[in-house]
Amino acid sequence: ESEHIFWLCGKAGTGKSTIARTVARSFDEQGLLGASFFFNRGKDERSHAELLFPTVARQLSDLFPEVGREVARALAKDSFSSHAHLKPQFEKLVLEPLACIKGISMPSAGLVLVIDALDECDSPESVKRILHLLSTIEKTTSVRLRIFVTSRPELPIELGFQDMRGDLHRDVRL
């Protein structure tokens, strides 16, 4: 209940991606999936950290027109927002638009973001930045947001979770 981030960690071949797809499908069927992103080191369009938050913003925009309008405003002000560094992307394309959905009907259980194979992100430094930014999601009061992350137990990810408060995330190792 209190943790905002659930981290499923395991070695290669332990079924993390299968679990992530099942979790995403289940939450989608319940109307609780806000967005998903599946990193893949072998695919250019799925290995770059800079694609994560624009993809999440697009999926949230499809669900909530209010979010879409705010994302469109942010891009109209600065068309480079989708190509910016991770922090401005996260703030302008995800956090600020989510803050505008206060008056709409939301599932009482909130929304879930699924991020699979974070270890396959192209840059270890980007991984740490992503985790730091995700740790600020608890500040979002307009919607109850939970994040489901899978990865291998690699050092940048371990360090990213160690830098978070303990009550912010729950870790399960396969």
Side-chain angles (χ1 to χ4, degrees), residues 11 32 131-132 137 168:
K11 294 181 181 182
L32 301 174
L131 288 172
H132 173 73
I137 206 74
L168 187 60

Side-chain angles (χ1 to χ4, degrees), residues 44-56:
D44 276 346
E45 68 276 5
R46 291 184 30 216
S47 65
H48 297 296
E50 293 78 20
L51 300 177
L52 171 62
F53 296 126
T55 301
V56 167

Side-chain angles (χ1 to χ4, degrees), residues 54-70:
T55 301
V56 167
R58 170 57 194 253
Q59 292 175 23
L60 289 169
S61 295
D62 288 345
L63 282 176
F64 304 104
E66 296 83 355
V67 171
R69 283 191 286 278
E70 290 304 314

Side-chain angles (χ1 to χ4, degrees), residues 66-166:
E66 296 83 355
V67 171
R69 283 191 286 278
E70 290 304 314
V71 169
R73 276 190 205 114
L75 292 172
K77 284 182 187 175
D78 180 4
S79 63
F80 293 105
S81 290
S82 66
H83 303 291
H85 294 289
L86 293 173
K87 184 177 180 183
Q89 275 187 347
F90 182 67
E91 290 172 350
K92 300 294 182 192
L93 300 178
V94 179
L95 273 188
E96 291 174 14
L98 280 175
C100 295
I101 62 173
K102 291 178 183 167
I104 65 171
S105 175
M106 290 292 301
S108 60
L111 292 176
V112 176
L113 304 181
V114 175
I115 302 172
D116 179 55
L118 184 57
D119 55 288
E120 295 193 26
C121 179
D122 60 353
S123 158
E125 189 54 42
S126 293
V127 167
K128 281 192 72 176
R129 270 187 251 130
I130 288 169
L131 288 172
H132 173 73
L133 292 168
L134 292 177
S135 74
T136 66
I137 206 74
E138 69 176 327
K139 297 175 185 171
T140 304
T141 59
S142 59
V143 60
R144 185 174 170 208
L145 208 53
R146 299 293 186 251
I147 304 165
F148 182 87
V149 179
T150 70
S151 76
R152 294 178 185 160
E154 294 187 354
L155 187 60
I157 298 170
E158 297 269 0
L159 294 173
F161 278 105
Q162 284 178 11
D163 288 345
M164 288 184 201
R165 285 191 347 258

